[in-house]
Amino acid sequence: RLSSERRVRRTASSGDAASTWKVSLVEDELSAVPAEVETVVGFVMHQGSCNSETGCREQRRVKVRPGVRYKARVETALIDMEDNSERLASISIGGRSLGPCNPKATSDYDCGFFECFTDAEILAEATAMGELLLEAHSVKTNDDCMCSTASGSCYSVLLGAYGSMLGENGTMDATFGMFVKFTLIAEEAGSAALSATKPSAPTAAAAASRHPEDDPTTIMSGGAFAVAAASGSKRRGAHGTGKAVSNSPDEDREIVAYLKREGSCNTAEGCIESKTVQVNPGTRYLARVTTSLIDMEDDSERLASLTIGGKELGDCNPSPESDFDCGYFDCFQDVVVPVEASSSGRVTIEVHTVRTSNDCHCSEAWDGCMNRAEAALYEATGQGHAPASFGMFVKVTLTPDGPAEVHQEEEREAAEDGASQSAGAEPGPDEDIIVYVSHAGSCNTVGGCRGSVVARVNPARRYRVTVATILVDMEDDSEKLSSVVVGGKVLGECNPSPASDYDCGLFECFRDEAVPIDASNSGQVLLEVHSVRTNDDCMCNQKLGACYATPLAAMYEELGENVSDSSYGMYVKFTLSPENVPEDGLDELQPGASWASASPVLPPDEDLLPLEGAPSAEGAPAPLDEPLEDEVIEAYVSHIGSCNSDEGCQDSTHVRVNRRVRYEVTVTTALVDMAEHSERLASVSVNGFELGECNPSPEDDFDCGYSDCFEGELLPAEATSSGTVELKVHSVRTSADCHCNRLMGFCYSAMDAAFGEAAGGDPLTDPRYGMFVRFTLRPVGTEEVSEPPIEGLPHWVSLRRRGAECTGADVLLGTDVPLLECLERCREVPDCVHVASGVGKKLGMCFWQLGGCSQFEEDYYDVYQISDADTGTDAYAALSAASTTGSRPTACADGAGAAGAADVGNNGPAEDAEEEEDDEDIDLLITEEGWGLSSANWLIRRSDWSISFLEDAFRLCHEGMPLFGDQDAMIHLLLNDRALLSKRARTDRGPVVDRHAVIIPQHELNAYDALNAFYMEADAYTEGDLLITFPGCKEAGACNPLFRLAAAHAKGGAGVDGREEQVSWPHVRVFGPPEAAAQLFETARLHQQQQH
């Protein structure tokens, strides 16, 4: 609070004369308003929370000039306004209601300012008494922001808490649930008092030399904060619903606007400024955006977003060499301003900058900035007061580009071919749909760029999608598409890593992925892409669907070509292809129905022979995307943003299940803002089967860990008989207090995230969720609910303990493993004596328990002990006996057989004692392929030599041979010169590796698929080999069918002699023979070349 008297210095319009006045302060009112005052600013606020249906109502009275007409601008701090229900329910000035304001902030902790109304008229009759009543009503808003009435600014309580942790004195400000700023600007007409005594507008020279503190006059009352500014001050335009200003600019006039923020923007939230400029409604404009390089040396210091006329241009991250550069940088050039925006006569520009301190002094009159040292020198040499320091100073230039009507048809065509296909005719049943998701400008930040479009599809068809990206600045591993989502289905990331950042060719990320049924049934499919760390190194033409490197564009321009294509940091092509329909046509196919594809689309070099679907129980082909009978299904139901209302959020997703299988479901929720009893999952259901509510009530709203709501609930057979299950959740009163990652399936506190960013960590890109629920559907049999009970254990097994596991280390032997198979797996491992088999919620887990297993801890396992199968001797006792005699149980007699065949437990006896004695020194088993020694797959025994060898290899690849990888370092340590030769080129049989290592036949540990085996002159997989390797297989569309086939074979499905797959390309590629695989591959490649 100010003292009873305060002297305020004010410079006259001439700039060289000064006058002094006194202002008396009276509680809740101002005793006088000088005649020169043209603008009054008042704050209406509420300290504490307004989070209820009734909310908070506050009012303040401010003094104005009697009988003067005003224009009002109303701005609100974005305090807990992420959800639709969190808003200003009403705003009134002088008894006149302006209406509600519902900004929909991106975060409850935004705390920046949003302009609700611009140029609202206040008539002279309302100001006749010399005062105005300002009123605001806020509902459902927590006090998530700390605000200062002295500075008129707000910041997140999270940052305030972080400042307190660091011991900084920055948390004296109170927390507010409402903080509204009213700016009243007097009009010249209607005021007799604004006469010749009003000072004239200052000249540009005077404005440049005047210190900012000399211009405004600050007056504070007990309950309202008001600012009076001289008539020469500029008004800042912004969003709003105000009346359009007449007198449009000439059609050929260039328009310049500055968006700036005095003071620092060095927070994760940063600063948001907006301005509405008047344009000629019949003219199209090209925008050029230039920013002063204010504290932008680091990647996190940048313009986070820029919007012109509703068109999002993206971010701008110049990264100069110094934080004190203060020069200009062109972010965007010749960007077309949407005609629909300029046709209204007003274009709104919005800029958001983050992490930028006020390191530069800037002036509109100078059209530039100076750094702090230059500002000090400017004042020290008597040139006048330096301008104010800014954390944001952006110049936007709108250049006329001819009549708008000339370009409107062109823009309409581009819109039809471009991002949004939500409008227009429904695609035909056999029509391929091609859509692009792109971002003009750079995405070279940790946060990157996000883009999305809605593709119009035929609701009577099912679709498969192929996703390809232009290789825009993706040479480094960190430069990638971090996520691709189709109709809510997360496909994953795409990281091509081409040879050059300027490749600009097309790379296929995903091929023939099924589009979710519920998305295609609606007739609209949402396509989403997130790209990180990619510069706009490629120029793209959307009509042609082609891109080329920016250096080529520069060369074309040097040769006189007119290059008008934009540069892109993200450019992704989606192709949605309808699946084949039944022969009886579409008439009998209703939306939501499914069918099997008679000939699924294979990769271009693999579409050789038909691959028929496996027959279902009813005799019809099973859908290609139907899960296997033993496949565990996991899905998430989530809601981005807050659910903090009585209505809350209701979300659902559909998943495919095997209609012949019974399932039990486990439901787990992330603990998102659930500390209160009212904050809960109000209902959870599976295909209409209601499970009930879930109310974990953790100790902290920011827990963000997981809690089991329902465990092992058996679903009725009718719930899964259709082959599709709807998972539905209703959450109430839960704010978006947790960030979650759907790819990894984990969540973390929004408070921790804010602290991490404030401490200098990388900005986090995971969305904030108000609901994040995981469903796990586990098959429990096709006819019976559970497996039949075991009629007695084998004679070589004894039960040690139920409901427990051994204390100490363990080794995972498998998941989803039945009890008998778990016991067999332990039996096949020579040193395995005790094994834990999961029960209850850990059913199917199988762990080898290391050590003597003398102590136990409670858990969802039963522990068994394995004895010698023939003699009944305790295997642990046998090991102990072996250690006393100096001998060691061994998996095989010779090193070459240590990884012999698929059945590791069938080991032949030693051929003679000498070989067994030599085996004591063997620590490493490695294979050799057609090109030399292979370090892809190897087995190493725990020993002093092994530890030393691995440490030497690590040191060599990081210090001695930094350009080589770990595998090269291993080979270098193992080999002598003869070992570098292929086994087909070597004639002598001398030792080639360290005496602690043995080269075993390749097929025993590293068998290749038939195609690679042919071209690499290596061993192809044959029945009985331990595993199969697919060298260089990285493309999802081509490799996933091979992996699925190999996995099915491992589980006893299709194999070398299987009849169901012998005619398909994946079968030949995996099982051969190699000559046939090579012949088919060459035929396909020749066919593809002929087509091109």
Side-chain angles (χ1 to χ4, degrees), residues 943-1073:
S943 70
D944 292 340
W945 179 90
S946 299
I947 294 173
S948 176
F949 169 75
L950 293 175
E951 288 179 343
D952 289 344
F954 182 88
R955 191 179 305 110
L956 183 63
C957 71
H958 285 275
E959 299 174 6
M961 301 167 61
L963 297 180
F964 292 80
D966 51 350
Q967 295 184 357
D968 295 320
M970 288 177 56
I971 295 173
H972 179 83
L973 291 174
L974 286 174
L975 299 178
N976 59 35
D977 293 339
R978 287 192 301 277
L980 296 177
L981 298 175
S982 165
K983 64 182 180 182
R984 293 165 176 78
R986 193 165 56 244
T987 57
D988 65 296
R989 300 185 60 83
V992 294
V993 295
D994 188 285
R995 65 183 181 85
H996 288 273
V998 165
I999 299 175
I1000 64 175
Q1002 183 202 339
H1003 69 87
E1004 293 184 352
L1005 194 59
N1006 195 21
Y1008 282 1
D1009 65 278
L1011 186 64
N1012 276 297
F1014 180 85
Y1015 285 106
M1016 299 181 69
E1017 299 182 339
D1019 290 350
Y1021 175 85
T1022 59
E1023 189 68 18
D1025 289 340
L1026 175 64
L1027 53 81
I1028 182 170
T1029 304
F1030 298 86
C1033 206
K1034 299 178 180 179
E1035 201 278 312
C1039 300
N1040 283 340
L1042 309 180
F1043 300 158
R1044 293 191 187 101
L1045 181 60
H1049 173 56
K1051 294 181 178 181
V1056 177
D1057 299 322
R1059 293 178 298 173
E1060 67 274 17
E1061 296 283 349
Q1062 283 188 4
V1063 295
S1064 72
W1065 164 244
H1067 187 278
V1068 177
R1069 167 79 184 264
V1070 174
F1071 300 115

Side-chain angles (χ1 to χ4, degrees), residues 894-941:
D894 60 329
D903 186 0
V904 181
N906 286 340
N907 300 302
E911 293 184 6
D912 52 64
E914 181 180 355
E915 288 185 357
E916 184 163 354
E917 183 178 351
D918 291 341
D919 187 43
E920 290 291 324
D921 295 327
I922 303 303
D923 296 292
L924 176 67
L925 304 179
I926 196 165
T927 67
E928 189 179 36
E929 60 189 11
W931 305 93
L933 203 61
S934 170
S935 58
N937 301 324
W938 40 277
L939 291 177
I940 193 166
R941 184 168 65 97

Side-chain angles (χ1 to χ4, degrees), residues 244-245 248-249 255 276-287 308-311 335-348 398-405 407-408 411:
V245 182
S248 299
I255 299 166
T276 300
V277 297
Q278 191 174 350
V279 298
N280 189 298
T283 302
R284 190 178 88 158
Y285 289 86
L286 298 178
I308 298 180
K311 180 178 182 178
V335 176
V336 176
V337 178
V339 174
E340 58 269 20
S342 58
S343 61
S344 67
R346 299 167 68 91
V347 172
T348 298
L398 304 181
T399 304
D401 189 36
E405 59 185 14
H407 301 283
Q408 283 178 334
E411 290 192 4

Side-chain angles (χ1 to χ4, degrees), residues 533-545:
R533 293 287 188 188
T534 53
N535 267 317
D536 51 338
D537 290 342
C538 298
M539 314 275 286
C540 298
N541 186 304
Q542 191 153 303
K543 287 187 176 181
L544 298 177

